[in-house]
Amino acid sequence: MVPEKFKFPLLANLKNFELKTYGSESDSLLNFAPLIEAAPSMLRFSLEFIWIENAWLNGRRQKKAATKCPHQCLKEVELAGFVGHAIDMEFAEYLIENAIALEKIIIDPANLSWRGYELSLPDERLKEIPNIIEQVMKLQSKYSLGDKLVLHNLE
């Protein structure tokens, strides 16, 4: 059951939703699930997650279980700022498991706001690329994503 503070009105006409949020490994992106669930006609969802002060290098936590709530219309998902830790893996799994019509999931370790700069990833995040690739391949394998999965900025 969703706590009262996380209930949203029906957003029946929302088709494209872009969310930019800040956080650390101790947070959970699953708190945004009720917002997505309130938009049954959503076709595209984009999340830009900005890690707070090297939080991606600090302690890791266990993944949380995602709720089941099928999204009949969601076709495209973009996850920017993805590093393959529990916080973004559990959210990616929630979206993949619930987006019945999913055609494309874009995973990008760079924040969208960094695009256009010579280096799209900070030096510390470059060290995370092998782990990011490993976690993305786990998603690819577990959910048989095939050509639905698109990786950006992993050069």
Side-chain angles (χ1 to χ4, degrees):
M1 185 158 159
V2 178
E4 192 64 38
K5 67 179 183 177
F6 291 123
K7 289 194 176 181
F8 296 91
L10 179 64
L11 304 168
N13 296 319
L14 183 63
K15 303 288 185 202
N16 184 27
F17 186 58
E18 295 180 17
L19 175 65
K20 184 175 190 175
T21 188
Y22 298 80
S24 67
E25 185 66 34
S26 63
D27 298 318
S28 178
L29 294 171
L30 291 175
N31 291 333
F32 294 111
L35 180 58
I36 296 166
E37 292 162 10
S41 299
M42 185 185 312
L43 299 172
R44 186 176 188 285
F45 174 76
S46 176
L47 170 75
E48 181 178 2
F49 186 71
I50 300 171
W51 292 89
I52 298 173
E53 299 181 19
N54 298 336
W56 65 86
L57 296 176
N58 295 332
R60 297 183 182 203
R61 64 167 174 79
Q62 295 296 313
K63 285 191 314 183
K64 296 177 182 177
T67 59
K68 296 285 184 195
C69 183
H71 302 292
Q72 302 296 329
C73 297
L74 188 58
K75 293 182 179 186
E76 184 175 324
V77 170
E78 181 173 12
L79 302 175
F82 183 96
V83 295
H85 289 200
I87 185 173
D88 40 21
M89 285 294 287
E90 68 194 11
F91 194 61
E93 289 182 3
Y94 161 78
L95 291 166
I96 293 167
E97 289 173 5
N98 288 293
I100 306 301
L102 186 67
E103 295 175 357
K104 183 186 219 179
I105 180 167
I106 302 164
I107 295 182
D108 188 345
N111 289 356
L112 299 174
S113 56
W114 293 343
R115 289 192 183 154
Y117 293 96
E118 188 172 321
L119 292 175
S120 59
L121 295 174
D123 291 340
E124 296 87 10
R125 189 89 61 89
L126 289 171
K127 296 174 190 171
E128 288 282 312
I129 287 178
N131 179 60
I132 294 168
I133 292 171
E134 178 183 344
Q135 295 304 319
V136 169
M137 291 303 105
K138 284 181 183 177
L139 289 173
Q140 170 82 314
S141 170
K142 181 176 181 178
Y143 297 103
S144 302
L145 295 172
D147 61 354
K148 292 180 183 178
L149 179 66
V150 177
L151 302 175
H152 285 178
N153 294 312
L154 282 175
E155 297 85 39

